[in-house]
Amino acid sequence: MTYPKRLIEVDLPIKRISAHSRREKSIRHGHISTLHIWWARRPLAACRAVICAALWPDPADEHCPPAFREAARKAMLDWARNHLGLTSAESFPRFVAIQKDAGGLDDPTELRHALLDFIADFANWDNSKVKEYLDTSRALTQAAHEALGGASGTRPLVVDPFAGGGSIPLEALRVGADAFASDLNPIPVLLNKVVLEYIPKYGQRLADEVRKWGAWIKQEAEKELAEFYPKDPDGATPIAYLWARTIQCEGPGCGAQVPLFRSTCLAQRGKHSVHLQVKCDKSSRTVAFDLKVGPGTDDEVGKILRRSSATCPCCGYTTPAANVRNQFRGRASGAADARLLAVVTTAANGSGRQYRLPIAEDMDAIKRASVALDRLRQDCPDDVPDEALPYLRSIFNIHLLDATKWSYLFTPRQLISLVILIRLVRQLAENLSREISDTELRHAVVTCLALAVDRVSAQLSSLSWWQPKGEFVVGTFGRQALGIVWDFAEIKPVKGASGDLDGAIDWVVRVVEGTANGFGGTATVEQATATEHPLPDDSVAAVVTDPPYYDAVPYADLSDFFYVFLKRMLRGIHPRLFAEHLTPKRGEIVQLAERNPIYAFKTKEYFEAGMQSALSEARRITVPHGVSVIVFAHKTTQGWEVMLSSIINAGWIVTASWPIDTERAVRMRASGSAALASSVHLVCRPRENPDGSVRSGDIGDWRDVLSELPRRIHEWMPRLAEEGVVGADAIFACLGPALEIFSRYSRVEKASGEVVTLREYLEQVWAAVAKEALAQVFKDADTAGFEPDARLTAMWLWTLNAGATNGDESPGDEEEADEEEETKGKSTKAKGGFVLEYDAARKIAQGLGAHLEDMTHVVEISGETARLLPVSERTAYLFGKEQADAPASGRKKKAAQMDLFGELTKAGSDDKTWSEKTVKKIGETTLDRVHQAMILFAAGRGEALKRFLVEDGAGRDQHFWRLAQALSALYPSATSEKRWVDGVLARKKGLGL
């Protein structure tokens, strides 16, 4: 039977949806992401748009039910006539025309565009709770459901078997569908219960009760914590304490206690900045501090802490990084031996932030907390989270400081504070039985307040740090890892700095208030594994899900940070969710085999088998005419190949793919590691027989598949370019049309009968994409006129053009590099150049008829990475060894993260002096000649450049200028190469070329 295509299989306004998704990442108040941390949560804008487009048929499809076409026409006409004033008319030129001509939507194609316009604007956060948008979307969802055979009075069911933070099921409810949300991990199950069950049922009443009983917890906590966080003698209130871990100097005859801190700056305020000033008594071998106000410098940083090695300010001896880490063995991660450097306070009148050095009252309070914790461990050891903290190489680097228990991430005062808050939540659960008769409402109130306390735990650890710019505390999970933080910030838990209990409760209340009254369906939330889904066959209209990203996020291990506190608060209320010692690890579908021997079973094959099983279950529960949207983003080709193999082997046909920007450009991860700017939404249909079994008799001819592939890519790439999708995002966005050709068959065979593997097909896809992308780069130029090195360089730079920008560097970034160096036995410090994952680079080269191993003068291969050499490193090859020197520069700083597979660093600098360059031999290839000209320009050799371009004839070849123009467009603006090639181009006109 033939079914109508859904809108998402035909078109999607990805540029506008992406803009709304990016903006949403900066929206805080009332957003479900602020209820509690969960990793890789999808923007609501993208989820809302995708679900609408997946549920609604394409009215221009010949098989679209007339009933839906008429309902959609009526809904859009009503919208244009009655609701256009809600939005900017400029956003809806089509609707303006409809107002003037009521018959404008008789054309099904125009009706399609009207629906897509509506979806694009509905993705706006500001419109997500507007009644007119909600009513229209729900009417369309219901009309689509009934037109496609759904029983009257029922709603379509949308399922997310990897529900995570709940974005997808929440948006399914918003647009008028029912939702089934499940996850193996108890933390997301709890979050989904709050968002999808408690908030819809109780709404504002829940918000009022959380606010009321939250005030009670704050009042009681303030009393119990007063002895550990006393006010200053002058009435000022400490709100944060700035600490540094310490080591003992290993210099001969020294032994000074050295505090390890990254920066002396406490407050970045220009002329009124606040700094610590290091004072060292060399006779007594003691380090002391003063405070100074003024512009200041940060010279002390280099004298004490550089990466993980520490230089003593008293004797100048540098203790190597390995010795520094060894000193923390048996010290419970060093938090207990940390030194208090400064205290942040607010004046008695509550105005501004002041800074002071520690006083006796501070030290007395810290001692009282240590005594109280010792007593707690004796009397109530189960209240202390001493569960094992696993070691995950390059993710849980805090393990290098011997942090083997979750409790080791906290100072004694932080631990005793959290235990007090936990006990108050448990006490509230008992008290509410006398105050609220509705058992489920009681559970909802206590659960919300437990989440608020759990939010505090993420701020109140020795992995939080002080941000002088803005003067606030950055919590434990600034990134999806537990890195080493040498100097950390401790907030006062109640009425303290950012992230205290006051703020946490307020955030939770805002989510309840902001999410209430926005539902058109009902939800079911269960803890279940995606590989054994509890729903029956053919019961689901759409499976929309964001599954784990291969090896990118160790969800279960990260969530144990919160689990150890939540189970102590909520085991009596949610006994099934918190029955285990820690979160489930065995059934989690992630690849972590190389991170820790205990996860040796979590291999590539384990991930593929688990994902295939989960997606087979998703196909089983989906109705024959249903769809699935699978969200995926990964930095390696291997991760993609494994995921795509799982999709196809599970019996799905990929029918479309759409890249939607889902990441904030300034996120911390963007500056220090590989990451996609977009998440690719793969649209799939079941490849089934009428009885629900997977079709196995459809055999495709390899020659037919190969002949159709380039045409489909040629049709698709310009569409992506119009939407601003370029580089790696565009490569993976091409997977949809490419896989539609391949996955429609149960298998593809060559003339010999040999079965074509997905990996072999993907090699052809990369080749087709590379050729098409190159044609776009050089536009009308004949790419065959360029040698392989030019084609490879252009395609390499195009792939990196994802457009992300710098974010703040995490304190743990350098320690992560240290561990990689220690583990692999060699330095992994980034060099200049443009880095891709080796397999991606190999496929790009292969698609262009080149081989990386034959291009060592352009590309350097090292392990799993390949580096396109910066121009400054090609001087020996281009000018001869005697002219090989390029301008020396200091330690290179990371430039904007630009890519999916590696990191982009500044390549060379013309701030230093080049030696004189003379072209003794004109380059063999066009790329060589362009690079020679760039170096002559960088070296200030104007006359030599003129001779090279005019007399030597390099500039008389139009391929030279076409390539230079292309490189100018491809080199990132932050690089020296961009300045150099632009300088060469600027000489063209003046030289009469």
Side-chain angles (χ1 to χ4, degrees):
M1 182 174 177
T2 303
Y3 304 110
K5 289 186 176 182
R6 307 296 172 91
L7 275 172
I8 198 169
E9 294 177 289
V10 179
D11 204 351
L12 201 64
I14 54 177
K15 193 171 187 176
R16 285 179 282 173
I17 296 169
S18 293
H20 292 312
S21 296
R22 289 193 300 270
R23 178 198 168 211
E24 186 185 312
K25 284 288 184 176
S26 300
I27 293 173
R28 313 303 294 159
H29 294 164
H31 198 286
I32 63 168
S33 64
T34 61
L35 178 67
H36 189 279
I37 287 176
W38 190 254
W39 298 274
R41 195 191 306 256
R42 295 302 94 201
L44 301 180
C47 298
R48 184 159 58 253
V50 163
I51 291 171
C52 287
L55 293 177
W56 303 347
D58 171 25
D61 187 273
E62 61 179 319
H63 301 289
C64 178
F68 176 76
R69 193 176 287 147
E70 182 55 34
R73 181 176 180 274
K74 181 180 183 302
M76 291 296 96
L77 286 173
D78 287 345
W79 177 263
R81 290 168 180 157
N82 304 323
H83 309 312
L84 188 58
L86 294 172
T87 58
S88 169
E90 288 78 10
S91 301
F92 287 92
R94 182 172 289 106
F95 287 166
V96 174
I98 292 168
Q99 285 181 311
K100 297 177 181 178
D101 178 10
L105 292 184
D106 289 341
D107 181 351
T109 302
E110 281 299 305
L111 180 55
R112 172 204 289 168
H113 292 316
L115 289 171
L116 292 170
D117 272 344
F118 174 84
I119 287 172
D121 208 55
F122 189 28
N124 189 334
W125 167 264
D126 298 332
N127 296 332
S128 61
K129 290 178 285 186
V130 175
K131 182 178 185 299
E132 289 78 8
Y133 283 90
L134 295 172
D135 290 346
T136 302
S137 67
R138 292 167 187 174
L140 288 165
T141 297
Q142 191 62 32
H145 175 60
E146 294 180 3
L148 293 171
S152 178
T154 66
R155 289 182 289 264
L157 179 60
V158 175
V159 167
D160 184 357
F162 298 98
S167 296
I168 290 170
L170 172 64
E171 292 307 316
L173 295 186
R174 196 189 305 274
V175 304
D178 289 338
F180 189 100
S182 59
D183 206 294
L184 177 65
N185 193 300
I187 307 296
V189 175
L190 187 72
L191 298 179
N192 278 277
K193 286 186 73 68
V194 172
V195 172
L196 305 176
E197 293 182 352
Y198 295 156
I199 295 178
K201 184 172 183 178
Y202 295 108
Q204 187 60 45
R205 186 183 176 192
L206 176 59
D208 294 340
E209 295 290 349
V210 171
R211 185 179 286 110
K212 173 183 175 181
W213 296 106
W216 177 84
I217 289 182
K218 288 188 289 185
Q219 182 180 22
E220 296 300 311
E222 192 169 15
K223 293 177 188 174
E224 296 194 39
L225 292 170
E227 64 174 312
F228 306 125
Y229 296 93
K231 284 195 172 186
D232 284 3
D234 63 358
T237 302
I239 59 171
Y241 301 80
L242 309 183
W243 297 79
R245 305 179 199 276
T246 61
I247 64 160
Q248 187 176 34
C249 175
E250 296 182 357
C254 185
Q257 186 191 56
V258 181
L260 307 175
F261 56 91
R262 296 169 298 121
S263 172
T264 59
C265 184
L266 306 181
Q268 192 171 322
R269 303 171 178 170
K271 293 181 180 180
H272 303 287
S273 296
V274 182
H275 285 257
L276 285 172
Q277 189 170 30
V278 180
K279 299 191 304 180
C280 184
D281 187 332
K282 296 188 177 182
S283 60
S284 62
R285 296 290 192 264
T286 57
V287 179
F289 296 94
D290 271 340
L291 287 177
K292 63 176 182 178
V293 177
T297 61
D298 221 12
D299 294 339
E300 290 85 359
V301 174
K303 295 178 182 176
I304 294 181
L305 186 63
R306 185 175 180 84
R307 298 182 72 85
S308 293
S309 63
T311 300
C312 177
C314 295
C315 71
Y317 180 83
T318 298
T319 301
N323 293 25
V324 168
R325 290 193 288 267
N326 286 336
Q327 287 199 30
F328 287 90
R329 303 299 177 194
R331 288 172 56 184
S333 82
D337 297 323
R339 175 173 173 176
L340 182 60
L341 302 181
V343 180
V344 188
T345 68
T346 58
N349 62 9
S351 62
R353 279 162 166 58
Q354 288 83 41
Y355 295 82
R356 64 166 172 80
L357 297 175
I359 57 177
E361 286 79 359
D362 296 320
M363 310 318 296
D364 291 341
I366 292 167
K367 290 177 183 177
R368 287 194 294 271
S370 295
V371 172
L373 181 62
D374 290 340
R375 187 166 56 246
L376 177 68
R377 286 189 183 278
Q378 292 179 358
D379 299 340
C380 303
D382 289 344
D383 278 353
V384 181
D386 278 335
E387 291 89 343
L389 189 161
Y391 169 63
L392 293 175
R393 183 180 62 79
S394 79
I395 297 179
F396 283 11
N397 288 341
I398 191 64
H399 215 284
L400 294 173
L401 300 191
D402 208 26
T404 56
K405 298 180 180 180
W406 288 103
S407 60
Y408 288 1
L409 301 184
F410 307 89
T411 68
R413 183 162 63 174
Q414 289 174 332
L415 265 182
I416 200 70
S417 299
L418 288 170
V419 169
I420 287 172
L421 295 178
I422 288 168
R423 286 178 169 179
L424 286 171
V425 172
R426 290 203 302 255
Q427 184 180 338
L428 176 66
E430 297 175 7
N431 296 348
L432 282 187
S433 62
R434 300 186 295 272
E435 301 288 340
I436 301 175
S437 58
D438 186 332
T439 301
E440 189 175 11
L441 178 57
R442 290 201 306 269
H443 290 176
V445 172
V446 176
T447 299
C448 286
L449 288 169
L451 291 176
V453 169
D454 219 31
R455 280 182 55 107
V456 174
S457 70
Q459 295 290 111
L460 194 63
S461 86
S462 67
L463 300 185
S464 297
W465 51 283
W466 186 252
Q467 173 57 272
K469 186 178 181 180
E471 300 174 63
F472 61 93
V473 175
V474 179
T476 303
F477 292 101
R479 57 195 180 117
Q480 296 160 176
L482 296 175
I484 298 173
V485 178
W486 296 113
D487 51 331
F488 59 91
E490 174 192 9
I491 64 169
K492 182 185 177 188
V494 182
K495 294 186 178 179
S498 53
D500 66 355
L501 185 62
D502 305 68
I505 293 173
D506 184 56
W507 283 115
V508 171
V509 170
R510 291 188 188 209
V511 171
V512 177
E513 292 177 332
T515 311
N517 304 319
F519 303 93
T522 58
T524 302
V525 179
E526 286 191 20
Q527 183 181 21
T529 173
T531 58
E532 296 178 9
H533 205 279
L535 288 179
D537 296 358
D538 299 336
S539 59
V540 176
V543 173
V544 183
T545 190
D546 180 26
Y549 294 165
Y550 194 52
D551 61 352
V553 183
Y555 301 91
D557 295 289
L558 284 171
S559 64
D560 280 341
F561 179 98
F562 298 110
Y563 184 88
V564 297
F565 295 115
L566 285 172
K567 78 172 182 179
R568 287 170 167 82
M569 291 183 276
L570 297 176
R571 191 158 32 197
I573 291 178
H574 302 287
R576 290 185 59 190
L577 290 181
F578 297 103
E580 301 299 325
H581 187 61
L582 291 169
T583 59
K585 308 296 189 302
R586 177 60 60 172
E588 182 188 35
I589 306 176
V590 291
Q591 195 281 100
L592 294 173
E594 78 287 358
R595 304 286 189 184
N596 188 330
I598 67 171
Y599 292 141
F601 67 95
K602 291 189 175 183
T603 59
K604 166 182 172 289
E605 293 73 23
Y606 167 88
F607 178 91
E608 185 171 0
M611 192 57 66
Q612 180 178 329
S613 177
L615 296 177
S616 294
E617 281 289 273
R619 181 187 52 76
R620 175 186 66 78
I621 64 176
T622 302
V623 295
H625 63 274
V627 297
S628 176
V629 181
I630 301 167
V631 186
F632 198 67
H634 199 266
K635 66 182 181 179
T636 68
T637 54
Q638 183 180 68
W640 273 96
E641 288 173 0
V642 171
M643 187 67 192
L644 295 173
S645 177
S646 301
I647 291 172
I648 293 173
N649 292 336
W652 292 97
I653 299 173
V654 179
T655 60
S657 62
W658 302 98
I660 299 176
D661 287 0
T662 56
E663 304 298 338
R664 262 190 319 143
V666 295
R667 72 197 188 281
M668 190 175 293
R669 180 172 162 77
S671 66
S673 63
L676 262 177
S678 299
S679 294
V680 177
H681 295 62
L682 297 164
V683 186
C684 309
R685 291 276 193 159
R687 190 177 68 246
E688 292 183 343
N689 296 309
D691 64 357
S693 61
V694 178
R695 293 203 311 269
S696 58
D698 301 335
I699 302 175
D701 186 281
W702 182 228
R703 291 168 298 186
D704 294 339
V705 171
L706 285 182
S707 65
E708 186 176 355
L709 175 62
R711 177 178 60 81
R712 295 297 300 276
I713 299 301
H714 178 71
E715 294 170 351
W716 189 231
M717 289 283 280
R719 167 76 171 84
L720 295 174
E722 289 175 6
E723 296 284 352
V725 179
V726 295
D729 289 333
I731 291 175
F732 289 122
C734 288
L735 291 174
L739 287 172
E740 183 181 1
I741 303 169
F742 188 82
S743 62
R744 67 169 68 121
Y745 304 107
S746 54
R747 66 181 183 276
V748 175
E749 293 183 355
K750 298 179 180 178
S752 63
E754 179 186 355
V755 176
V756 179
T757 65
L758 174 63
R759 183 177 181 84
E760 184 177 358
Y761 179 63
L762 289 176
E763 298 274 353
Q764 298 296 324
V765 174
W766 275 77
V769 171
K771 291 174 183 176
E772 186 62 34
L774 201 64
Q776 287 189 5
V777 169
F778 291 107
K779 296 188 170 40
D780 298 328
D782 179 13
T783 58
F786 294 107
E787 298 88 347
D789 59 350
R791 297 200 300 270
L792 178 63
T793 297
M795 184 59 191
W796 197 299
L797 294 171
W798 180 86
T799 303
L800 297 180
N801 191 19
T805 57
N806 274 331
D808 293 323
E809 184 178 357
S810 166
D813 288 344
E814 291 187 344
E815 284 68 42
E816 185 171 314
D818 283 345
E819 190 206 11
E820 292 292 330
E821 183 174 333
E822 181 180 87
T823 304
K824 297 179 181 179
K826 61 182 181 181
S827 174
T828 58
K829 182 179 177 181
K831 300 177 181 179
F834 306 91
V835 179
L836 286 177
E837 179 211 9
Y838 168 73
D839 195 46
R842 179 187 63 80
K843 289 176 177 176
I844 288 174
Q846 186 172 291
L848 300 174
H851 298 281
L852 293 183
E853 290 75 8
D854 298 334
M855 307 188 74
T856 55
H857 59 289
V858 178
V859 176
E860 177 186 79
I861 300 171
S862 177
E864 298 177 357
T865 63
R867 185 171 67 102
L868 185 70
L869 296 176
V871 176
S872 58
E873 288 188 30
R874 300 196 67 213
T875 51
Y877 177 81
L878 297 172
F879 290 89
K881 291 183 179 180
E882 68 277 8
Q883 299 185 68
D885 59 309
S889 61
R891 182 182 173 193
K892 292 182 175 65
K893 296 181 180 179
K894 290 181 182 178
Q897 171 64 28
M898 300 295 292
D899 64 301
L900 172 64
F901 309 100
E903 69 180 19
L904 170 66
T905 56
K906 287 186 178 178
S909 171
D910 52 0
D911 297 328
K912 302 285 182 175
T913 303
W914 288 73
S915 63
E916 185 171 306
K917 303 295 179 190
T918 303
V919 179
K920 296 183 176 179
K921 180 182 178 183
I922 193 168
E924 295 181 3
T925 67
T926 307
L927 180 70
D928 288 346
R929 294 191 288 274
V930 171
H931 282 178
Q932 284 176 322
M934 290 167 61
I935 292 174
L936 289 173
F937 173 83
R941 301 283 293 156
E943 287 301 315
L945 176 60
K946 179 180 178 181
R947 286 195 301 273
F948 176 71
L949 294 175
V950 179
E951 297 173 16
D952 294 342
R956 301 190 183 281
D957 179 5
Q958 288 307 305
H959 282 90
F960 177 96
W961 297 110
R962 286 173 184 164
L963 179 59
Q965 195 66 51
L967 293 178
S968 174
L970 291 168
Y971 280 127
S973 59
T975 59
S976 298
E977 276 97 337
K978 167 67 173 170
R979 297 193 298 274
W980 299 343
V981 75
D982 285 349
V984 173
L985 287 167
R987 299 294 299 272
K988 180 182 179 183
K989 186 175 181 180
L991 294 175
L993 299 171

